[in-house]
Amino acid sequence: MLTKEKEIKVHALISQARTLIDKHNAIQKSTGGLFNIFSILNMERFEVKTHSAFIYELLNPQGSHNQEKVFLKLFVEKVLKIKDLDYKNIIVEREKSIGKYGRLDFSIENDDILIIIELKIDAGDQDEQLKRYDNYAKTKGKKYKIFYLNLYGDEASEQSTGKGDSKVNYKIISFKRHILKWIEACIEKVALIPNIRESLNQYAILIRKITNGINGGIEMELKDLLLQGDNLEIADKLIQAVSLAKAEIEFKFWKEVHNTITSRMIELNFTDDEVSNDFNEEWLENIIIRRKKKSGEVELYYTYGKYLGKQLKFVIGKDGYDNNIYCSIALYDLKEDEWVKYKKDFKDLADTVEKLGFNKKGIFRYRHLNYDLNFNNKIYKLLDKEEFSKAVESISKEVLEIAEKVSKSDEFNKLVK
């Protein structure tokens, strides 16, 4: 428990930080710093249409920027940390099909080396994805490097890399650290070319937004504030409480959604998984762990009969990456206590579920809800009672519409026992 003196210092620190942030926001507002074309067009988190396309245009020596290999060289030096690369016969490709091995997000290749870059914003890892790329690279008969690019610098899953001695050797790069620094270096290079410079500035703003970053100016001012007196110690204690506070907000949200939809879900012949949906301390702790790691799901579960001896689960959840909450239809094996992949034997179920609007994602079939609720950077909105109620109402309505469609599907119900 904080002493009275410490409590006064905490309030003073928060007040000073609030003043700096308000000043920064006022400057952003007056200078148009909040204007971002990617956000306006709702293209913030599209891997292929936004990030892959924009990055490739910069890396491509024949790109419309007309800067030849300037951006590519900065990328190799500042992001990949590769020295002495021969650019003479360099080939940069995007979404390259490699047959049975899959499709490469990016490849940079010359006579001596193949560089493979896998880009992740919201999508999960595919089965043996990096392992397949590794096997493909070995067929090229030259040196190769594999990079795993994601928002924060998280590791790839064992599902993608394999285990033990067979695990793929790869390097991690992130938008938050590497790509942002590269874009800032590119901005310096084209400081006198307005169109390119401002496009890069817009993308830098986008990266900071989706990685919960802040403008460099306010960041330095806040740093200087923390270095005064014992402010850093006080801030450290505040940080420890932040994850618990955020988790508490999300905990209340899921509990309220569960309370709102369950009676109707039962009417639609779904069974509430009361053990899984038990809102206790363990549930709260699970949220803290998941959000801290930025991986793993927080989910509500309902059962809808069985298919070939496996339980059919209707899941409402949110993992560490996806921008929106999703619903999914998954198979669960009670005997083995594990989720079951949609195998070839389950093709009739997979086809039926996909007809109901669910997409493929690993072992699940899922669909995102339209209401945008990212618990990483939009959870503050839920502190407002009206925003909280609006979010619960909107999410619940969408979930029940999907559940009703599933429940009333004759084709789906023919498969269920």
Side-chain angles (χ1 to χ4, degrees), residues 252-294:
K252 290 178 179 177
F253 168 80
W254 288 115
K255 186 175 182 179
E256 191 61 29
V257 168
H258 177 263
N259 290 341
T260 302
I261 69 173
T262 296
S263 60
R264 178 57 181 155
M265 292 291 286
I266 292 171
E267 289 175 3
L268 294 171
N269 297 318
F270 292 87
T271 302
D272 181 19
D273 284 9
E274 294 180 358
V275 175
S276 299
N277 300 336
D278 181 13
F279 294 91
N280 51 25
E281 287 296 321
E282 187 177 336
W283 228 89
L284 182 63
E285 185 64 28
N286 178 58
I287 294 175
I288 295 172
I289 293 170
R290 295 290 187 252
R291 300 304 174 229
K292 185 176 181 180
K293 290 183 177 180
K294 297 185 177 67

Side-chain angles (χ1 to χ4, degrees), residues 273-336:
D273 284 9
E274 294 180 358
V275 175
S276 299
N277 300 336
D278 181 13
F279 294 91
N280 51 25
E281 287 296 321
E282 187 177 336
W283 228 89
L284 182 63
E285 185 64 28
N286 178 58
I287 294 175
I288 295 172
I289 293 170
R290 295 290 187 252
R291 300 304 174 229
K292 185 176 181 180
K293 290 183 177 180
K294 297 185 177 67
S295 63
E297 285 76 21
V298 175
E299 296 173 321
L300 301 175
Y301 298 98
Y302 295 85
T303 302
Y304 192 86
K306 290 186 177 181
Y307 171 79
L308 297 182
K310 308 292 188 292
Q311 276 196 344
L312 271 167
K313 297 284 187 179
F314 186 88
V315 185
I316 307 110
K318 168 78 173 63
D319 68 19
Y321 292 105
D322 287 329
N323 197 35
N324 295 50
I325 290 173
Y326 58 78
C327 288
S328 71
I329 293 180
L331 288 167
Y332 192 77
D333 190 324
L334 280 174
K335 290 183 180 179
E336 299 296 329

Side-chain angles (χ1 to χ4, degrees), residues 17-78:
R18 180 75 263 171
T19 299
L20 287 176
I21 292 169
D22 287 344
K23 182 186 77 172
H24 165 72
N25 289 341
I27 293 171
Q28 290 284 83
K29 188 175 181 180
S30 65
T31 59
L34 300 176
F35 183 89
N36 185 266
I37 193 67
F38 298 102
S39 300
I40 292 168
L41 298 177
N42 196 27
M43 296 176 63
E44 293 180 351
R45 305 180 74 91
F46 292 156
E47 288 182 9
V48 178
K49 292 181 179 180
T50 300
H51 297 280
S52 176
F54 193 86
I55 291 172
Y56 173 73
E57 188 65 18
L58 295 177
L59 294 179
N60 182 8
Q62 287 78 46
S64 57
H65 48 71
N66 290 320
Q67 302 304 300
E68 298 182 343
K69 297 171 185 172
V70 170
F71 300 142
L72 174 61
K73 288 180 178 180
L74 284 172
F75 184 84
V76 171
E77 294 166 8
K78 295 189 174 293

Side-chain angles (χ1 to χ4, degrees), residues 62-105:
Q62 287 78 46
S64 57
H65 48 71
N66 290 320
Q67 302 304 300
E68 298 182 343
K69 297 171 185 172
V70 170
F71 300 142
L72 174 61
K73 288 180 178 180
L74 284 172
F75 184 84
V76 171
E77 294 166 8
K78 295 189 174 293
V79 178
L80 305 184
K81 309 291 185 184
I82 296 175
K83 297 179 180 179
D84 304 321
L85 185 71
D86 184 359
Y87 294 91
K88 185 177 180 181
N89 296 315
I90 203 85
I91 298 173
V92 181
E93 294 184 274
R94 169 181 174 247
E95 295 293 314
K96 178 181 178 179
S97 174
I98 51 174
K100 65 180 181 180
Y101 301 104
R103 186 180 297 273
L104 304 179
D105 287 338

Side-chain angles (χ1 to χ4, degrees), residues 152 176 208-214 237-255 283-294 298 318 320 373-383 388:
Y152 303 100
K176 188 175 182 68
R208 291 190 189 98
K209 183 175 182 181
I210 65 175
T211 60
N212 303 313
I214 55 178
K237 288 180 170 29
L238 285 172
I239 289 169
Q240 293 173 31
V242 166
S243 60
L244 179 59
K246 284 185 175 181
E248 183 71 28
I249 297 169
E250 187 177 347
F251 178 87
K252 290 178 179 177
F253 168 80
W254 288 115
K255 186 175 182 179
W283 228 89
L284 182 63
E285 185 64 28
N286 178 58
I287 294 175
I288 295 172
I289 293 170
R290 295 290 187 252
R291 300 304 174 229
K292 185 176 181 180
K293 290 183 177 180
K294 297 185 177 67
V298 175
K318 168 78 173 63
L373 185 61
N374 187 319
F375 288 117
N376 290 324
N377 55 26
K378 295 191 177 180
I379 197 166
Y380 316 107
K381 289 170 55 177
L382 298 184
L383 287 169
F388 184 90

Side-chain angles (χ1 to χ4, degrees), residues 345-363:
D345 297 344
F346 307 154
K347 188 177 184 304
D348 53 351
L349 177 66
D351 290 344
T352 302
V353 170
E354 287 167 30
K355 287 179 185 177
L356 289 168
F358 291 78
N359 305 306
K360 296 180 181 179
K361 183 178 183 181
I363 64 174

